[in-house]
Amino acid sequence: MSILVVGSVALDSVQTPFGKKKEILGGSATFFSISASFFDKVNIIAAVGEDFPKKYLKLLKSRNIGTGGIAVNKGKTFRWEGRYEYDMNVAHTLATHLNVFKDFSPDIPDSLRKSRLLFLANIDPDLQDKVLRQMSSPALIACDSMNHWITNKKKSLERFLHKVDIFLLNDAEARQFTGEANIFKAAKAIVARGPKSVVIKKGEHGVIYYSKRSHFIAPAYPLEAVYDPTGAGDTFAGGVIGYLSRAGKITDNILRKSMIYGSIMASFAVEDFSVNRLLNISRADINKRYADFKKLTRF
Amino acid sequence: MSILVVGSVALDSVQTPFGKKKEILGGSATFFSISASFFDKVNIIAAVGEDFPKKYLKLLKSRNIGTGGIAVNKGKTFRWEGRYEYDMNVAHTLATHLNVFKDFSPDIPDSLRKSRLLFLANIDPDLQDKVLRQMSSPALIACDSMNHWITNKKKSLERFLHKVDIFLLNDAEARQFTGEANIFKAAKAIVARGPKSVVIKKGEHGVIYYSKRSHFIAPAYPLEAVYDPTGAGDTFAGGVIGYLSRAGKITDNILRKSMIYGSIMASFAVEDFSVNRLLNISRADINKRYADFKKLTRF
């Protein structure tokens, strides 16, 4: 099938207990698309500034990612600065400079409006809706969100979620969105509010999938070292949507497998800064971790 | 086969966000034996005081648990008082009155020395060793421990662990014991120090099994309400050892299944105070959750 992702392409400055990196390639659409590119063709809709390094656009193209929808606008590229302590489940944002991303209001080129799978990364829910209204009936609509929109645009988000097949968010966001401390109650409460299904990402503790018809839980792929968790969630989503696209149809079983592939893609992403580790793996590495995971979890 | 558990039979006073109970039946051997009793015959070695309610001994007997090894000693029964906040992964101990348990130094009756499966619940590692030296080559030796012994009797514990087949502890204890923040590194480091295998219990986040030859990870059984986590770890161990005993042999596959049964027994235990929920379930309830768990985790 064909995948469209709408989100950010950014420059990140990241500190973890294992190092400090300045202005490295980041952004939700970046992590998502590189992850998905291992499975199928993906196109990006995003905006960067005039200062965005050409080498990064080249890098995306070299992965056969469609970059025609990345507008280069007057001004500077979106920048995020963050820090992680030893507990890497929590990102401490030091600074967010939206720059050109502040005026991001995506118009989808005609050629991409027929994309079959749509991933709306974490942007204003009103923009997510604006994108969706331009599409001609995608087979699957998935979206992410974050605490900022849950706090400031809850009504918009709730309205939009009724149109969504898979809503992905992390455990803290799920609790915030529903006011439920228990994560399974939260999952149920989210689906009661509109989306067909929800995927709650619990970082090193795995993932929960909940829809009215099916429930799935999986641990995370075990890692002995995590260097930088930035982008793990979007990389996960890229693996999920990428696998679904490659499978060509969506059954309960394919959906479960897609989440394992998502976890495995995320497990690579966090093993180095930026997308560095993702650029150094092959399909064989992914398949090896999938087989390992099967062995690790079977009973 | 036949199971012997050496541990505490106690009176607990527990506060959780869902209620407050005074002097209810508790203790590691209690939770373990009631859990294991769903699978096979289990005998307890413990000591209580003269104040220990007869009805609780009757209750254990009614589950076909061997109570002949529970000494009734001059003095008061071991009492524990604890509190849980909404994050039930952490118990806050308010008071520990060892009472008769202070002088607990188990002599194993001849009739029980040939028990095939031995579970040494959380007691002084020197006592665990003393018990083991009285046994005539059990087929499986499992033990638990806690932060107190890791801090104060580390040498004894490390010496003893060389004799152990399965060492069960929780994630915080595994980190404390090894000084490793990463839980998989901790698992590996523990096995490098002596026991044939380790089971790290992560509460609502599931369980990790690690030996040199096999690794297994499983999420916890999903629960929408946890009322009192006291005894969950010992109930888990009871399910594991109970299932292994009933199976009559220990293969990698049987071991994996035993941990799922352990998780399921623990999932019942935390749904009410003390052992109340465990007393209200049948094998059919256990089998139903096992089937649910299979469906929830398959991919």
Side-chain angles (χ1 to χ4, degrees):
Chain A
M1 298 204 261
S2 56
I3 307 168
L4 184 68
V5 54
V6 182
S8 61
V9 171
L11 296 172
D12 289 345
S13 295
V14 183
Q15 297 171 35
T16 83
F18 304 101
K20 200 172 163 171
K21 301 281 169 180
K22 245 184 107 73
E23 309 224 326
I24 51 180
L25 179 60
S28 55
T30 305
F31 283 102
F32 177 92
S33 63
I34 292 177
S35 176
S37 72
F38 283 90
F39 301 92
D40 216 339
K41 173 73 185 177
V42 49
N43 291 288
I44 298 179
I45 300 285
V48 296
E50 293 160 310
D51 61 346
F52 189 69
K54 295 267 178 309
K55 64 174 179 183
Y56 288 152
L57 286 176
K58 260 193 208 152
L59 190 160
L60 294 170
K61 275 183 211 160
S62 76
R63 301 249 2 129
N64 194 29
I65 294 166
T67 58
I70 304 181
V72 181
N73 292 343
K74 222 181 167 80
K76 285 181 133 192
T77 300
F78 174 29
R79 278 164 173 79
W80 178 78
E81 293 174 33
R83 199 184 65 220
Y84 299 88
E85 307 293 343
Y86 275 99
D87 175 2
M88 296 219 194
N89 285 316
V90 185
H92 304 277
T93 292
L94 301 175
T96 303
H97 306 285
L98 288 175
N99 299 331
V100 299
F101 204 59
K102 212 169 81 182
D103 304 313
F104 183 55
S105 182
D107 285 310
I108 313 299
D110 282 347
S111 60
L112 298 180
R113 292 185 178 209
K114 287 189 175 156
S115 301
R116 299 301 292 142
L117 295 103
L118 175 65
F119 181 65
L120 295 152
N122 161 36
I123 53 173
D124 184 330
D126 289 331
L127 282 188
Q128 291 179 319
D129 194 55
K130 186 193 157 187
V131 170
L132 185 52
R133 281 185 276 113
Q134 296 174 60
M135 302 295 292
S136 43
S137 63
L140 183 100
I141 302 155
C143 80
D144 196 352
S145 196
M146 73 180 290
N147 49 8
H148 178 76
W149 308 120
I150 294 171
T151 306
N152 299 304
K153 288 252 182 163
K154 198 163 183 183
K155 281 264 176 312
S156 292
L157 180 59
E158 290 192 330
R159 209 164 34 231
F160 174 64
L161 286 177
H162 281 89
K163 305 180 183 174
V164 167
D165 297 301
I166 309 178
F167 179 30
L168 298 102
L169 73 179
N170 71 33
D171 46 355
E173 290 158 356
R175 291 190 171 100
Q176 187 200 349
F177 186 57
T178 59
E180 284 288 356
N182 180 284
I183 203 72
F184 300 104
K185 276 191 184 167
K188 203 184 265 190
I190 289 169
V191 168
R193 287 183 196 199
K196 284 209 186 65
S197 67
V198 66
V199 174
I200 301 179
K201 300 166 286 177
K202 301 193 298 167
E204 62 168 316
H205 299 304
V207 69
I208 295 168
Y209 170 83
Y210 186 91
S211 76
K212 276 178 192 146
R213 286 170 43 203
S214 177
H215 316 150
F216 178 57
I217 49 176
Y221 185 87
L223 287 177
E224 290 193 20
V226 172
Y227 284 92
D228 175 13
T230 309
D234 295 303
T235 306
F236 172 87
V240 170
I241 306 298
Y243 183 78
L244 292 177
S245 181
R246 190 189 185 87
K249 61 181 177 179
I250 300 166
T251 64
D252 183 54
N253 214 31
I254 286 170
L255 204 54
R256 287 162 181 258
K257 286 201 167 109
S258 79
M259 284 182 266
I260 303 302
Y261 277 104
S263 296
I264 282 163
M265 295 313 293
S267 77
F268 286 116
V270 302
E271 288 184 318
D272 201 344
F273 287 91
S274 182
V275 295
N276 294 342
R277 182 78 173 105
L278 292 175
L279 299 179
N280 283 305
I281 57 168
S282 64
R283 273 296 303 207
D285 295 318
I286 297 168
N287 291 341
K288 164 131 189 11
R289 284 206 178 170
Y290 186 86
D292 284 351
F293 199 80
K294 266 262 186 223
K295 251 196 268 178
L296 268 168
T297 56
R298 77 173 165 72
F299 66 89
Chain B
M1 300 206 257
S2 56
I3 307 168
L4 185 66
V5 54
V6 183
S8 61
V9 172
L11 296 172
D12 290 344
S13 294
V14 182
Q15 296 170 36
T16 83
F18 305 100
K20 199 170 164 172
K21 301 279 168 182
K22 244 184 109 75
E23 307 225 327
I24 51 179
L25 180 59
S28 55
T30 306
F31 283 102
F32 177 93
S33 64
I34 292 178
S35 175
S37 72
F38 283 91
F39 300 93
D40 215 339
K41 173 73 184 175
V42 50
N43 292 288
I44 298 180
I45 300 286
V48 295
E50 293 160 308
D51 60 346
F52 189 69
K54 295 269 179 304
K55 64 173 179 183
Y56 289 152
L57 287 175
K58 261 192 208 150
L59 189 161
L60 294 170
K61 274 182 210 157
S62 76
R63 301 245 9 127
N64 195 30
I65 294 165
T67 59
I70 304 181
V72 180
N73 292 342
K74 224 183 165 74
K76 285 182 133 191
T77 300
F78 174 31
R79 278 165 173 78
W80 178 79
E81 293 173 33
R83 198 186 63 219
Y84 300 87
E85 307 294 344
Y86 276 100
D87 175 2
M88 296 221 194
N89 285 316
V90 185
H92 304 278
T93 292
L94 302 174
T96 304
H97 306 285
L98 287 176
N99 299 330
V100 300
F101 204 60
K102 212 169 82 180
D103 304 313
F104 183 54
S105 183
D107 285 312
I108 313 300
D110 282 347
S111 60
L112 298 179
R113 293 185 179 209
K114 287 188 175 156
S115 300
R116 299 301 291 143
L117 294 103
L118 176 65
F119 180 65
L120 295 151
N122 161 37
I123 54 174
D124 184 330
D126 288 331
L127 283 187
Q128 291 178 319
D129 193 55
K130 188 194 155 185
V131 171
L132 185 54
R133 280 184 278 113
Q134 297 173 62
M135 302 295 292
S136 44
S137 62
L140 183 100
I141 303 154
C143 81
D144 196 354
S145 196
M146 73 182 290
N147 49 7
H148 178 76
W149 308 120
I150 294 171
T151 305
N152 299 303
K153 287 251 182 166
K154 196 161 186 184
K155 282 265 178 309
S156 292
L157 180 60
E158 291 192 330
R159 209 161 37 230
F160 174 65
L161 286 178
H162 281 89
K163 305 179 183 176
V164 167
D165 297 302
I166 308 178
F167 179 31
L168 298 102
L169 72 178
N170 70 34
D171 46 353
E173 292 158 355
R175 291 191 172 100
Q176 186 200 350
F177 186 57
T178 58
E180 284 288 356
N182 181 285
I183 204 70
F184 301 103
K185 275 190 185 170
K188 202 183 264 190
I190 288 168
V191 168
R193 289 181 196 200
K196 284 207 185 68
S197 67
V198 66
V199 174
I200 301 179
K201 299 167 287 177
K202 301 193 297 166
E204 62 168 316
H205 300 304
V207 69
I208 294 168
Y209 170 82
Y210 185 93
S211 76
K212 275 177 192 149
R213 284 170 44 202
S214 178
H215 316 150
F216 178 56
I217 48 176
Y221 186 87
L223 287 177
E224 289 192 20
V226 172
Y227 284 92
D228 175 12
T230 309
D234 295 304
T235 306
F236 171 86
V240 170
I241 306 298
Y243 182 79
L244 292 177
S245 180
R246 189 190 187 89
K249 60 180 178 180
I250 300 165
T251 64
D252 182 55
N253 215 31
I254 287 170
L255 204 55
R256 287 162 182 257
K257 284 197 168 109
S258 78
M259 284 181 267
I260 303 301
Y261 278 104
S263 295
I264 283 163
M265 296 313 293
S267 77
F268 286 116
V270 302
E271 288 184 317
D272 201 344
F273 287 92
S274 184
V275 296
N276 294 343
R277 181 78 174 107
L278 292 175
L279 299 178
N280 283 306
I281 57 167
S282 65
R283 273 296 303 207
D285 295 319
I286 298 168
N287 291 341
K288 164 132 189 12
R289 283 205 178 171
Y290 186 87
D292 283 351
F293 199 80
K294 265 261 188 224
K295 248 194 271 178
L296 268 168
T297 56
R298 79 174 164 70
F299 66 88

